[in-house]
Amino acid sequence: GAVVSQHPSWVICKSGTSVKIECRSLDFQATTMFWYRQFPKQSLMLMATSNEGSKATYEQGVEKDKFLINHASLTLSTLTVTSAHPEDSSFYICSAQGQSNYGYTFGSGTRLTVV
Amino acid sequence: DAKTTQPNSMESNEEEPVHLPCNHSTISGTDYIHWYRQLPSQGPEYVIHGLTSNVNNRMASLAIAEDRKSSTLILHRATLRDAAVYYCILTLIQGAQKLVFGQGTRLTINP
């Protein structure tokens, strides 16, 4: 089946610094990947749709200058949280669609803590 | 996006069947019904999806009402590892479509 690898699994950073999260499709090509954010005890909230070779599409209310998305190849999308603040602390998850028979595959998530 | 409604929580016993309901009364003819589950501190995991007919796979079964306004995810014999939040989601399957998650059902399995 399709595998999506997400790194790092957790990261702690100081307020004001930037953090990059990588999402790789290991055994398939993903022209589209999705980025979600999940706060404790809440559901996943879609942040943006990452399109290979073009600009990402952001959901309403998500700051595109703060959450930079790059999808430079068919197997890699990155999310950079710029000038992170404690309120950005959350669980970030990426996903991609592999073979249609298996639906969407999700990464294992990145827990970001900003101190 | 078509909306789904699920109970906030359900509880069952180990080795017993579990029926997780989902209402989607505004489903359109081209919407597929997806089920995903999320274990604690992990990304969601695909469970099953279907359009009109009931579906079975190694993880679960999906029973779809004749009018497609509701569906039920069936875990035939629950284990402790099935404790998770289960999400019922509608989406078009042509092309890569974004999945919009509701609150899901938190399933607790008692030993």
mmCIF file of all heavy atoms in Angstrom, chain B residues 40-74:
data_model
loop_
_atom_site.group_PDB
_atom_site.id
_atom_site.type_symbol
_atom_site.label_atom_id
_atom_site.label_comp_id
_atom_site.label_asym_id
_atom_site.label_seq_id
_atom_site.Cartn_x
_atom_site.Cartn_y
_atom_site.Cartn_z
ATOM 1 N N PRO B 40 -4.549 7.359 19.045
ATOM 2 C CA PRO B 40 -3.923 8.473 19.783
ATOM 3 C C PRO B 40 -2.533 8.812 19.267
ATOM 4 O O PRO B 40 -1.709 7.925 19.034
ATOM 5 C CB PRO B 40 -3.881 7.943 21.216
ATOM 6 C CG PRO B 40 -5.006 6.967 21.291
ATOM 7 C CD PRO B 40 -5.057 6.312 19.945
ATOM 8 N N SER B 41 -2.300 10.091 19.053
ATOM 9 C CA SER B 41 -0.995 10.620 18.644
ATOM 10 C C SER B 41 -0.501 10.060 17.311
ATOM 11 O O SER B 41 0.710 9.966 17.081
ATOM 12 C CB SER B 41 0.062 10.350 19.730
ATOM 13 O OG SER B 41 -0.312 11.001 20.925
ATOM 14 N N GLN B 42 -1.418 9.683 16.452
ATOM 15 C CA GLN B 42 -1.042 9.208 15.128
ATOM 16 C C GLN B 42 -1.869 9.918 14.063
ATOM 17 O O GLN B 42 -2.892 10.533 14.356
ATOM 18 C CB GLN B 42 -1.270 7.693 15.015
ATOM 19 C CG GLN B 42 -0.383 6.863 15.926
ATOM 20 C CD GLN B 42 -0.540 5.380 15.650
ATOM 21 O OE1 GLN B 42 -0.855 4.970 14.539
ATOM 22 N NE2 GLN B 42 -0.328 4.570 16.668
ATOM 23 N N GLY B 43 -1.407 9.833 12.819
ATOM 24 C CA GLY B 43 -2.209 10.344 11.719
ATOM 25 C C GLY B 43 -3.362 9.401 11.439
ATOM 26 O O GLY B 43 -3.330 8.233 11.824
ATOM 27 N N PRO B 44 -4.411 9.896 10.798
ATOM 28 C CA PRO B 44 -5.546 9.016 10.462
ATOM 29 C C PRO B 44 -5.129 7.861 9.568
ATOM 30 O O PRO B 44 -4.145 7.938 8.829
ATOM 31 C CB PRO B 44 -6.502 9.965 9.735
ATOM 32 C CG PRO B 44 -6.162 11.325 10.239
ATOM 33 C CD PRO B 44 -4.668 11.283 10.421
ATOM 34 N N GLU B 45 -5.924 6.822 9.634
ATOM 35 C CA GLU B 45 -5.670 5.607 8.868
ATOM 36 C C GLU B 45 -6.920 5.275 8.060
ATOM 37 O O GLU B 45 -8.033 5.292 8.584
ATOM 38 C CB GLU B 45 -5.341 4.474 9.840
ATOM 39 C CG GLU B 45 -5.221 3.105 9.228
ATOM 40 C CD GLU B 45 -5.081 2.017 10.280
ATOM 41 O OE1 GLU B 45 -5.617 2.197 11.402
ATOM 42 O OE2 GLU B 45 -4.456 0.990 9.987
ATOM 43 N N TYR B 46 -6.720 4.980 6.787
ATOM 44 C CA TYR B 46 -7.850 4.598 5.934
ATOM 45 C C TYR B 46 -8.467 3.297 6.435
ATOM 46 O O TYR B 46 -7.754 2.357 6.779
ATOM 47 C CB TYR B 46 -7.357 4.437 4.499
ATOM 48 C CG TYR B 46 -8.340 3.789 3.553
ATOM 49 C CD1 TYR B 46 -9.364 4.526 2.968
ATOM 50 C CD2 TYR B 46 -8.237 2.430 3.246
ATOM 51 C CE1 TYR B 46 -10.256 3.925 2.101
ATOM 52 C CE2 TYR B 46 -9.128 1.822 2.382
ATOM 53 C CZ TYR B 46 -10.133 2.581 1.808
ATOM 54 O OH TYR B 46 -11.033 1.976 0.957
ATOM 55 N N VAL B 47 -9.789 3.260 6.477
ATOM 56 C CA VAL B 47 -10.476 2.036 6.881
ATOM 57 C C VAL B 47 -11.192 1.417 5.687
ATOM 58 O O VAL B 47 -10.940 0.276 5.312
ATOM 59 C CB VAL B 47 -11.489 2.310 8.024
ATOM 60 C CG1 VAL B 47 -12.233 1.015 8.382
ATOM 61 C CG2 VAL B 47 -10.776 2.872 9.249
ATOM 62 N N ILE B 48 -12.074 2.184 5.060
ATOM 63 C CA ILE B 48 -12.880 1.629 3.981
ATOM 64 C C ILE B 48 -13.592 2.760 3.266
ATOM 65 O O ILE B 48 -13.717 3.864 3.820
ATOM 66 C CB ILE B 48 -13.896 0.610 4.565
ATOM 67 C CG1 ILE B 48 -14.409 -0.369 3.504
ATOM 68 C CG2 ILE B 48 -15.031 1.334 5.273
ATOM 69 C CD1 ILE B 48 -15.141 -1.566 4.121
ATOM 70 N N HIS B 49 -14.023 2.530 2.047
ATOM 71 C CA HIS B 49 -14.878 3.496 1.387
ATOM 72 C C HIS B 49 -15.815 2.780 0.424
ATOM 73 O O HIS B 49 -15.545 1.639 0.017
ATOM 74 C CB HIS B 49 -14.061 4.573 0.657
ATOM 75 C CG HIS B 49 -13.460 4.137 -0.647
ATOM 76 N ND1 HIS B 49 -12.243 3.501 -0.718
ATOM 77 C CD2 HIS B 49 -13.910 4.256 -1.914
ATOM 78 C CE1 HIS B 49 -11.953 3.247 -1.986
ATOM 79 N NE2 HIS B 49 -12.950 3.693 -2.730
ATOM 80 N N GLY B 50 -16.918 3.449 0.076
ATOM 81 C CA GLY B 50 -17.888 2.860 -0.831
ATOM 82 C C GLY B 50 -18.756 3.928 -1.471
ATOM 83 O O GLY B 50 -18.749 5.090 -1.061
ATOM 84 N N LEU B 51 -19.521 3.506 -2.459
ATOM 85 C CA LEU B 51 -20.403 4.435 -3.174
ATOM 86 C C LEU B 51 -21.865 4.070 -2.962
ATOM 87 O O LEU B 51 -22.637 4.850 -2.428
ATOM 88 C CB LEU B 51 -20.076 4.432 -4.668
ATOM 89 C CG LEU B 51 -20.890 5.388 -5.541
ATOM 90 C CD1 LEU B 51 -20.674 6.830 -5.101
ATOM 91 C CD2 LEU B 51 -20.545 5.209 -7.013
ATOM 92 N N THR B 52 -22.256 2.874 -3.391
ATOM 93 C CA THR B 52 -23.651 2.462 -3.240
ATOM 94 C C THR B 52 -23.771 1.079 -2.598
ATOM 95 O O THR B 52 -24.607 0.856 -1.743
ATOM 96 C CB THR B 52 -24.360 2.433 -4.598
ATOM 97 O OG1 THR B 52 -23.633 1.568 -5.480
ATOM 98 C CG2 THR B 52 -24.433 3.823 -5.207
ATOM 99 N N SER B 53 -22.903 0.179 -3.008
ATOM 100 C CA SER B 53 -23.003 -1.196 -2.506
ATOM 101 C C SER B 53 -22.226 -1.357 -1.211
ATOM 102 O O SER B 53 -21.268 -0.636 -0.948
ATOM 103 C CB SER B 53 -22.441 -2.170 -3.549
ATOM 104 O OG SER B 53 -23.128 -2.038 -4.771
ATOM 105 N N ASN B 54 -22.638 -2.330 -0.430
ATOM 106 C CA ASN B 54 -21.892 -2.652 0.782
ATOM 107 C C ASN B 54 -20.502 -3.138 0.407
ATOM 108 O O ASN B 54 -20.294 -3.733 -0.649
ATOM 109 C CB ASN B 54 -22.629 -3.722 1.586
ATOM 110 C CG ASN B 54 -23.965 -3.218 2.108
ATOM 111 O OD1 ASN B 54 -24.218 -2.012 2.154
ATOM 112 N ND2 ASN B 54 -24.823 -4.149 2.502
ATOM 113 N N VAL B 55 -19.551 -2.857 1.265
ATOM 114 C CA VAL B 55 -18.156 -3.167 0.987
ATOM 115 C C VAL B 55 -17.548 -3.921 2.161
ATOM 116 O O VAL B 55 -17.905 -3.652 3.314
ATOM 117 C CB VAL B 55 -17.346 -1.869 0.742
ATOM 118 C CG1 VAL B 55 -15.909 -2.193 0.366
ATOM 119 C CG2 VAL B 55 -18.000 -1.008 -0.320
ATOM 120 N N ASN B 56 -16.670 -4.819 1.864
ATOM 121 C CA ASN B 56 -15.951 -5.546 2.910
ATOM 122 C C ASN B 56 -14.456 -5.505 2.623
ATOM 123 O O ASN B 56 -14.042 -5.588 1.464
ATOM 124 C CB ASN B 56 -16.386 -7.025 2.950
ATOM 125 C CG ASN B 56 -17.858 -7.177 3.235
ATOM 126 O OD1 ASN B 56 -18.338 -6.826 4.304
ATOM 127 N ND2 ASN B 56 -18.597 -7.704 2.271
ATOM 128 N N ASN B 57 -13.659 -5.370 3.655
ATOM 129 C CA ASN B 57 -12.222 -5.562 3.525
ATOM 130 C C ASN B 57 -11.717 -6.203 4.809
ATOM 131 O O ASN B 57 -12.507 -6.569 5.689
ATOM 132 C CB ASN B 57 -11.488 -4.265 3.165
ATOM 133 C CG ASN B 57 -11.546 -3.217 4.262
ATOM 134 O OD1 ASN B 57 -11.797 -3.511 5.431
ATOM 135 N ND2 ASN B 57 -11.299 -1.976 3.872
ATOM 136 N N ARG B 58 -10.405 -6.323 4.920
ATOM 137 C CA ARG B 58 -9.850 -7.054 6.056
ATOM 138 C C ARG B 58 -10.063 -6.338 7.376
ATOM 139 O O ARG B 58 -10.001 -6.932 8.442
ATOM 140 C CB ARG B 58 -8.364 -7.307 5.830
ATOM 141 C CG ARG B 58 -7.535 -6.048 5.764
ATOM 142 C CD ARG B 58 -6.046 -6.337 5.663
ATOM 143 N NE ARG B 58 -5.283 -5.097 5.587
ATOM 144 C CZ ARG B 58 -4.949 -4.369 6.641
ATOM 145 N NH1 ARG B 58 -5.297 -4.755 7.855
ATOM 146 N NH2 ARG B 58 -4.262 -3.251 6.500
ATOM 147 N N MET B 59 -10.313 -5.040 7.297
ATOM 148 C CA MET B 59 -10.471 -4.273 8.528
ATOM 149 C C MET B 59 -11.913 -4.199 8.991
ATOM 150 O O MET B 59 -12.196 -4.231 10.200
ATOM 151 C CB MET B 59 -9.956 -2.851 8.337
ATOM 152 C CG MET B 59 -8.462 -2.725 8.207
ATOM 153 S SD MET B 59 -7.951 -1.009 8.048
ATOM 154 C CE MET B 59 -8.299 -0.383 9.679
ATOM 155 N N ALA B 60 -12.837 -4.014 8.040
ATOM 156 C CA ALA B 60 -14.217 -3.731 8.429
ATOM 157 C C ALA B 60 -15.163 -3.971 7.269
ATOM 158 O O ALA B 60 -14.743 -4.328 6.163
ATOM 159 C CB ALA B 60 -14.314 -2.272 8.879
ATOM 160 N N SER B 61 -16.437 -3.732 7.558
ATOM 161 C CA SER B 61 -17.466 -3.747 6.526
ATOM 162 C C SER B 61 -18.182 -2.409 6.546
ATOM 163 O O SER B 61 -18.281 -1.761 7.596
ATOM 164 C CB SER B 61 -18.483 -4.864 6.776
ATOM 165 O OG SER B 61 -17.874 -6.128 6.658
ATOM 166 N N LEU B 62 -18.652 -2.012 5.390
ATOM 167 C CA LEU B 62 -19.399 -0.766 5.270
ATOM 168 C C LEU B 62 -20.766 -1.097 4.701
ATOM 169 O O LEU B 62 -20.872 -1.636 3.596
ATOM 170 C CB LEU B 62 -18.664 0.207 4.349
ATOM 171 C CG LEU B 62 -19.377 1.531 4.048
ATOM 172 C CD1 LEU B 62 -19.647 2.310 5.324
ATOM 173 C CD2 LEU B 62 -18.552 2.368 3.075
ATOM 174 N N ALA B 63 -21.794 -0.777 5.486
ATOM 175 C CA ALA B 63 -23.167 -0.993 5.047
ATOM 176 C C ALA B 63 -23.763 0.363 4.691
ATOM 177 O O ALA B 63 -23.785 1.278 5.520
ATOM 178 C CB ALA B 63 -23.970 -1.666 6.158
ATOM 179 N N ILE B 64 -24.215 0.481 3.459
ATOM 180 C CA ILE B 64 -24.749 1.750 2.961
ATOM 181 C C ILE B 64 -26.250 1.612 2.759
ATOM 182 O O ILE B 64 -26.704 0.675 2.096
ATOM 183 C CB ILE B 64 -24.063 2.140 1.640
ATOM 184 C CG1 ILE B 64 -22.561 2.257 1.866
ATOM 185 C CG2 ILE B 64 -24.635 3.451 1.111
ATOM 186 C CD1 ILE B 64 -21.764 2.463 0.590
ATOM 187 N N ALA B 65 -27.007 2.546 3.326
ATOM 188 C CA ALA B 65 -28.458 2.503 3.179
ATOM 189 C C ALA B 65 -28.851 2.642 1.715
ATOM 190 O O ALA B 65 -28.124 3.228 0.917
ATOM 191 C CB ALA B 65 -29.091 3.622 4.000
ATOM 192 N N GLU B 66 -30.005 2.115 1.396
ATOM 193 C CA GLU B 66 -30.449 2.132 0.000
ATOM 194 C C GLU B 66 -30.578 3.552 -0.536
ATOM 195 O O GLU B 66 -30.265 3.814 -1.699
ATOM 196 C CB GLU B 66 -31.800 1.409 -0.114
ATOM 197 C CG GLU B 66 -32.170 1.033 -1.531
ATOM 198 C CD GLU B 66 -33.360 0.096 -1.599
ATOM 199 O OE1 GLU B 66 -33.601 -0.633 -0.617
ATOM 200 O OE2 GLU B 66 -34.042 0.108 -2.629
ATOM 201 N N ASP B 67 -31.019 4.481 0.299
ATOM 202 C CA ASP B 67 -31.132 5.875 -0.147
ATOM 203 C C ASP B 67 -29.827 6.655 0.033
ATOM 204 O O ASP B 67 -29.767 7.844 -0.268
ATOM 205 C CB ASP B 67 -32.276 6.585 0.593
ATOM 206 C CG ASP B 67 -32.044 6.678 2.089
ATOM 207 O OD1 ASP B 67 -30.966 6.258 2.557
ATOM 208 O OD2 ASP B 67 -32.934 7.153 2.806
ATOM 209 N N ARG B 68 -28.815 5.995 0.536
ATOM 210 C CA ARG B 68 -27.461 6.546 0.744
ATOM 211 C C ARG B 68 -27.426 7.686 1.748
ATOM 212 O O ARG B 68 -26.394 8.360 1.857
ATOM 213 C CB ARG B 68 -26.856 7.018 -0.579
ATOM 214 C CG ARG B 68 -26.710 5.930 -1.600
ATOM 215 C CD ARG B 68 -25.572 6.078 -2.581
ATOM 216 N NE ARG B 68 -25.272 7.437 -2.971
ATOM 217 C CZ ARG B 68 -24.053 7.968 -2.898
ATOM 218 N NH1 ARG B 68 -23.043 7.265 -2.435
ATOM 219 N NH2 ARG B 68 -23.852 9.210 -3.293
ATOM 220 N N LYS B 69 -28.463 7.884 2.491
ATOM 221 C CA LYS B 69 -28.453 8.978 3.451
ATOM 222 C C LYS B 69 -27.835 8.584 4.784
ATOM 223 O O LYS B 69 -27.718 9.422 5.692
ATOM 224 C CB LYS B 69 -29.876 9.505 3.653
ATOM 225 C CG LYS B 69 -30.446 10.159 2.400
ATOM 226 C CD LYS B 69 -31.801 10.782 2.634
ATOM 227 C CE LYS B 69 -32.277 11.506 1.370
ATOM 228 N NZ LYS B 69 -33.585 12.166 1.563
ATOM 229 N N SER B 70 -27.443 7.371 4.909
ATOM 230 C CA SER B 70 -26.746 6.934 6.111
ATOM 231 C C SER B 70 -25.888 5.718 5.781
ATOM 232 O O SER B 70 -26.097 5.053 4.761
ATOM 233 C CB SER B 70 -27.727 6.576 7.228
ATOM 234 O OG SER B 70 -28.501 5.451 6.858
ATOM 235 N N SER B 71 -24.920 5.474 6.634
ATOM 236 C CA SER B 71 -24.076 4.297 6.479
ATOM 237 C C SER B 71 -23.625 3.832 7.858
ATOM 238 O O SER B 71 -23.735 4.572 8.840
ATOM 239 C CB SER B 71 -22.868 4.594 5.589
ATOM 240 O OG SER B 71 -22.054 5.610 6.157
ATOM 241 N N THR B 72 -23.142 2.616 7.901
ATOM 242 C CA THR B 72 -22.686 2.039 9.165
ATOM 243 C C THR B 72 -21.374 1.316 8.941
ATOM 244 O O THR B 72 -21.269 0.476 8.035
ATOM 245 C CB THR B 72 -23.718 1.036 9.720
ATOM 246 O OG1 THR B 72 -24.968 1.701 9.906
ATOM 247 C CG2 THR B 72 -23.257 0.470 11.061
ATOM 248 N N LEU B 73 -20.406 1.669 9.740
ATOM 249 C CA LEU B 73 -19.137 0.951 9.733
ATOM 250 C C LEU B 73 -19.241 -0.185 10.730
ATOM 251 O O LEU B 73 -19.624 0.037 11.884
ATOM 252 C CB LEU B 73 -17.979 1.881 10.116
ATOM 253 C CG LEU B 73 -16.612 1.219 10.164
ATOM 254 C CD1 LEU B 73 -16.154 0.866 8.747
ATOM 255 C CD2 LEU B 73 -15.591 2.118 10.842
ATOM 256 N N ILE B 74 -18.901 -1.373 10.302
ATOM 257 C CA ILE B 74 -19.030 -2.547 11.160
ATOM 258 C C ILE B 74 -17.662 -3.148 11.418
ATOM 259 O O ILE B 74 -16.951 -3.535 10.480
ATOM 260 C CB ILE B 74 -19.950 -3.604 10.505
ATOM 261 C CG1 ILE B 74 -21.322 -2.993 10.219
ATOM 262 C CG2 ILE B 74 -20.085 -4.830 11.428
ATOM 263 C CD1 ILE B 74 -22.188 -3.838 9.320
#
